């Protein structure tokens, strides 16, 4: 009997002080992906994952994240695509909460491309670089033309929808209806 009680006591103490703990699985929604660069969303946080071509190990993947506070995702998309139309003179610097990103524009085979240069933890010593991306690839990453673009395209709603409805209703009530002229049928004699 003592051995059985000792065995149960050992089993409960092991399970109470175990080092492995099951964590809640975070689900990321993929907005778009092209080759080794992808854009993912979880709630209001957007994450770019990319394969770092700056390292000798081609299996190195890095990421940077930011919150979509005031339509920042669409602002980033517009900034990227405007650079294809009018190429900036130097690199465009973006400061994120944890990282610094440079957008490096360059023409490859006569086609404008952009590259993400990622200064990890705002440290110029640790640099990651994405592959060069053209406009078509940027559209695919941002999910342009797909149903996934609706994940960050939010319609701006009116501030006071009730008062706006009242104004339109009053406008229709005060308008005088136009007289309609309908053609009369000719009677046969």
């Amino acid at each position: 009997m003592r051995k059985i009680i000792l065995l149960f006591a050992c089993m409960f103490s092991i399970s109470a002080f175990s080092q492995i703990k099951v964590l809640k699985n975070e689900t990321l929604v993929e907005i778009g992906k092209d080759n080794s660069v992808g854009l993912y969303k979880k709630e209001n946080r957007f994450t770019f994952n990319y394969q770092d071509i700056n390292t000798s190990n081609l299996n190195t993947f890095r990421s940077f994240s930011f919150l979509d506070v005031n339509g920042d995702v669409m602002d980033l998309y517009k900034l990227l695509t405007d650079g294809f139309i009018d190429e900036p003179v130097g690199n465009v610097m973006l400061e994120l909460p944890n990282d610094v990103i440079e957008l490096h524009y360059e023409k490859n085979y006569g086609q404008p491309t952009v590259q993400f240069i990622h200064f990890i933890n705002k440290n110029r010593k640790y640099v990651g670089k994405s592959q060069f991306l053209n406009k078509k690839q940027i559209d695919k990453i941002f999910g342009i033309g797909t149903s996934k673009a609706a994940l960050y395209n939010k319609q701006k709603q009116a501030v006071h929808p009730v008062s706006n409805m009242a104004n339109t209703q009053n406008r229709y009530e005060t308008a005088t209806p136009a007289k309609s002229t309908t053609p009369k049928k000719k009677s046969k004699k």
Side-chain angles (χ1 to χ4, degrees):
M1 184 71 178
R2 287 185 200 168
K3 291 181 181 178
I4 293 174
I5 293 173
L6 183 63
L7 180 64
F8 279 121
C10 288
M11 285 177 45
F12 285 121
S13 66
I14 290 173
S15 66
F17 299 106
S18 65
Q19 294 179 6
I20 299 174
K21 180 176 149 183
V22 177
L23 297 176
K24 185 178 178 183
N25 190 8
E26 294 183 4
T27 55
L28 295 174
V29 177
E30 181 180 297
I31 302 291
K33 185 176 180 183
D34 188 71
N35 291 335
S36 61
V37 181
L39 176 62
Y40 302 90
K41 178 185 181 189
K42 181 183 181 221
E43 295 174 5
N44 202 23
R45 177 175 292 281
F46 287 86
T47 303
F48 274 92
N49 286 343
Y50 66 94
Q51 183 178 12
D52 188 2
I53 63 169
N54 201 34
T55 62
S56 59
N57 182 3
L58 292 178
N59 291 328
T60 303
F61 284 85
R62 302 201 187 275
S63 65
F64 57 90
S65 300
F66 59 93
L67 294 175
D68 185 23
V69 180
N70 293 322
D72 292 334
V73 175
M74 284 310 295
D75 290 344
L76 177 61
Y77 174 75
K78 184 169 176 13
L79 180 70
L80 287 167
T81 55
D82 286 350
F84 292 130
I85 297 167
D86 186 23
E87 188 175 323
V89 176
N91 290 348
V92 178
M93 301 273 302
L94 305 172
E95 184 174 1
L96 302 177
N98 298 325
D99 305 303
V100 173
I101 304 297
E102 275 189 16
L103 303 177
H104 175 70
Y105 289 91
E106 190 175 298
K107 286 201 178 203
N108 289 324
Y109 300 108
Q111 185 177 21
T113 58
V114 66
Q115 179 184 41
F116 294 109
I117 301 174
H118 179 199
F119 297 105
I120 302 158
N121 295 328
K122 297 184 180 182
N123 189 344
R124 293 216 174 255
K125 195 170 160 183
Y126 302 107
V127 178
K129 293 182 179 182
S130 73
Q131 70 180 37
F132 281 95
L133 303 164
N134 60 27
K135 168 87 165 73
K136 192 175 187 180
Q137 290 170 317
I138 291 292
D139 287 346
K140 189 173 179 183
I141 291 167
F142 278 84
I144 302 299
T146 65
S147 62
K148 303 259 177 146
L151 292 172
Y152 54 84
N153 280 340
K154 295 180 182 175
Q155 297 285 334
K156 291 185 179 179
Q157 296 185 8
V159 178
H160 302 287
V162 175
S163 64
N164 288 341
M165 289 298 292
N167 290 340
T168 57
Q169 192 174 16
N170 289 339
R171 185 176 56 199
Y172 289 123
E173 288 174 1
T174 58
T176 57
K179 294 183 181 180
S180 63
T181 56
T182 57
K184 295 181 182 178
K185 292 184 180 179
K186 295 181 181 179
S187 61
K188 293 183 183 179
K189 291 186 182 181

